[in-house]
Amino acid sequence: MPQPNMRQLSAFNAVMKAGSVTEAAERLFVTQPAVTKLLKGFEEACGFSLFHRGQGRLKPTVEARQLFAETETIEAGLMRITRLAESIRNLERGEVSAVTFPGLGMHIAPQAAASLLKRSPELRLQLFTRTSRSIEDSMVTGKADFGISLLPATSPALDTREFEAIELVCVVPADHRLSRAAMIDIKELDGEQLVALGREDLSFPIIEAAFQGAGARMRPVAEVQMADAACAIVAEGYGVSIVPSLASAGARDGRLAFRPLRQHIRMTSWLVTPKGEKLSMLANIFLDEIRTRIRRLQVPQSLANKPAPVRPMN
């Protein structure tokens, strides 16, 4: 015995609701012969008659009424699935979770999340912030759909590829002598009071190398863990700092001036994902939003010197 299909089920439901093949055909936007053929196929699949025919209308049998209680539920469920698929396709609904290094997780990732949520309030986003050294552990244990780290993952359970370059920039008080410069050479920071990111930060060795390469004295008078903390000290009028350009996304009160470095120092960020798994459409849209915001903050190539940029040791 053939199995009924959804087109037959829809034709049956339409006839049950309309009371005639003519009205059912109008509701389904098909011809009357098409509805008649579908109805016949449905009866054959069921193995019994569904209607008494006469006087231009169809009268459902008792068996048809019993079936209709179920087929209507099935059709309503199919419509819900169709609407859900459409909302997922249009990125109106869905879930995504991400884990990022602190410099990205403080401003850029939340701003990117807010942009998506404004467009589609039904989305559900989770953002976690971890050090680059612990992002790999978070991904291995399945805490997030993707991670963005300053270190490539080494676990065989993960895939890693370069994501975006992160420029390092100089931040000075708005009234500092260097705030009027379009670009700052590290030589100009010789002996300046430097609010440095801690020695465990991945940026410290490349900043130190840049000072040495420029023949400038690096004079750290304070060490902090977060770029935002360094910016907060500088905003109070004390010292200067070299921080990832991402930190400028949080500057709002005009007390700071962010300036590109002539030496064009950068770090590489890495996208970490479960091995062999494709990211969802929503995850890719989220990544595109993060990538766009990172690129807006980078030093234009036209302002950069030609020598190869200094990259961190992995």
Side-chain angles (χ1 to χ4, degrees), residues 127-143:
L127 291 176
F128 304 102
T129 301
R130 300 285 187 273
T131 64
S132 289
R133 292 183 176 88
S134 62
I135 284 176
E136 180 171 344
D137 292 338
S138 295
M139 290 300 302
V140 168
T141 55
K143 289 288 196 307

Side-chain angles (χ1 to χ4, degrees), residues 42-103:
F42 192 54
E43 284 185 317
E44 291 175 354
C46 292
F48 49 80
S49 296
L50 297 172
F51 297 95
H52 301 299
R53 293 164 172 81
Q55 298 180 350
R57 297 192 71 81
L58 299 178
K59 183 178 180 181
T61 63
V62 173
E63 291 80 8
R65 292 192 181 94
Q66 290 174 333
L67 272 179
F68 182 56
E70 293 298 326
T71 58
E72 189 176 34
T73 300
I74 292 172
E75 188 175 37
L78 180 61
M79 290 178 65
R80 287 195 298 272
I81 292 171
T82 301
R83 287 195 294 269
L84 176 59
E86 183 179 2
S87 66
I88 292 173
R89 184 172 61 251
N90 295 333
L91 301 177
E92 296 168 355
R93 295 180 64 177
E95 297 182 1
V96 64
S97 57
V99 55
T100 71
F101 63 93

Side-chain angles (χ1 to χ4, degrees), residues 225-276:
Q225 286 187 308
M226 304 286 289
D228 274 38
C231 290
I233 294 175
V234 175
E236 292 299 318
Y238 184 82
V240 301
S241 187
I242 295 177
V243 297
S245 58
L246 308 178
S248 65
R252 294 288 183 271
D253 59 11
R255 293 185 296 164
L256 296 173
F258 292 85
R259 296 292 181 265
L261 289 166
R262 190 172 300 281
Q263 280 71 13
H264 192 48
I265 310 170
R266 61 169 52 174
M267 303 176 71
T268 299
S269 64
W270 303 84
L271 176 64
V272 183
T273 57
K275 194 172 189 65

Side-chain angles (χ1 to χ4, degrees), residues 133 150 168 196-210 218 224-225 227 242-244 265-267 310 312:
R133 292 183 176 88
L150 293 176
L168 295 180
L197 299 184
R199 295 176 186 273
E200 293 185 359
D201 191 272
L202 296 174
S203 68
F204 191 93
I206 62 173
I207 293 172
E208 189 175 44
M218 183 174 172
V224 296
Q225 286 187 308
I242 295 177
V243 297
I265 310 170
R266 61 169 52 174
M267 303 176 71
V310 181

